[in-house]
Amino acid sequence: MADLRLFFSLDLPARLKEALSRYQRTLPRSLFRPLKPENLHITLAFLGDTPEEEVPHLSRLLMDLPLPSRLVLTAGRPLALPSLSRISVLTLKVGNPGGGLEDLASSLREALLDTGHSFDPKPFKAHLTLAYLHRSLSPGEREEAREIILSLPPFRFGRFSPESITLMQSTLTPAGSIFTPLATRSFGEEA
């Protein structure tokens, strides 16, 4: 069996994806490669290449994970990752005024560790990826992208609640990633 590129993510409401798509249109395509609206999400844990036979175990882990009945989130100021001096990704900082997001990410990561599944160990930083910088940019173009990010207004949408959490497969193609849901659980759904 093959390895699959996997991650767990929060699924976003359609209205939010539409608003994010409008915000992305302000970015020059010569510098930025925006995610397709259907691919917009919040990553909770990136597993990377995982044996395909692990999918049923990870699906069960998702179904057994203690979930809050609802999360209330906000998306606001633009954030360059890993940093402004070494930008590769344009994101929006995600806020959690009602709490619960950090606990959910921690519970998921603990469950993964307890069951022997590896994932990217970087600390969880709540963000929503909007676009990637083109890899072939010159130093001058990278500086232009940095200036654009610094001048972007905060994203204004108000509060939103993710609809579900999904175990997602990411297939890399020359035209961009294709995301395929492998298991989904709605908030408020009993374990």
Side-chain angles (χ1 to χ4, degrees):
M1 288 191 157
D3 281 355
L4 304 177
R5 191 170 187 260
L6 303 179
F7 63 94
F8 283 95
S9 66
L10 294 178
D11 303 317
L12 306 177
R15 276 185 47 245
L16 174 61
K17 288 182 179 183
E18 290 166 13
L20 289 165
S21 182
R22 287 190 298 274
Y23 190 81
Q24 288 173 313
R25 284 186 213 125
T26 66
L27 302 171
R29 297 289 173 121
S30 60
L31 302 173
F32 296 92
R33 188 173 42 89
L35 268 72
K36 297 173 187 168
E38 63 270 20
N39 286 352
L40 294 166
H41 65 277
I42 298 169
T43 301
L44 294 172
F46 180 76
L47 283 66
D49 291 337
T50 305
E52 188 174 353
E53 60 266 16
E54 292 300 313
V55 170
H57 304 290
L58 292 166
S59 299
R60 184 77 246 151
L61 181 146
L62 173 60
M63 296 310 155
D64 292 341
L65 189 68
L67 293 184
S69 58
R70 184 171 180 240
L71 284 174
V72 177
L73 306 176
T74 60
R77 72 178 173 82
L79 181 67
L81 293 178
S83 67
L84 260 177
S85 61
R86 297 184 306 121
I87 306 163
S88 62
V89 183
L90 170 61
T91 72
L92 293 177
K93 183 172 175 52
V94 171
N96 182 211
L101 180 57
E102 290 281 339
D103 291 340
L104 175 59
S106 291
S107 294
L108 173 60
R109 288 161 176 244
E110 285 172 22
L112 289 166
L113 284 173
D114 290 347
T115 56
H117 292 95
S118 61
F119 57 91
D120 185 343
K122 287 196 270 315
F124 176 68
K125 182 185 280 192
H127 67 278
L128 196 158
T129 300
L130 289 177
Y132 295 96
L133 260 66
H134 290 292
R135 291 184 181 173
S136 60
L137 296 182
S138 70
E141 289 169 322
R142 287 193 168 278
E143 180 58 28
E144 182 182 352
R146 190 178 81 76
E147 293 300 322
I148 288 169
I149 292 171
L150 288 170
S151 69
L152 282 172
F155 176 71
R156 305 234 185 261
F157 184 81
R159 295 177 179 208
F160 64 92
S161 293
E163 298 173 347
S164 54
I165 179 173
T166 295
L167 171 62
M168 195 74 74
Q169 177 183 351
S170 171
T171 305
L172 302 176
T173 74
S177 297
I178 298 170
F179 293 168
T180 306
L182 301 178
T184 300
R185 184 164 163 219
S186 297
F187 284 94
E189 186 180 317
E190 293 297 316

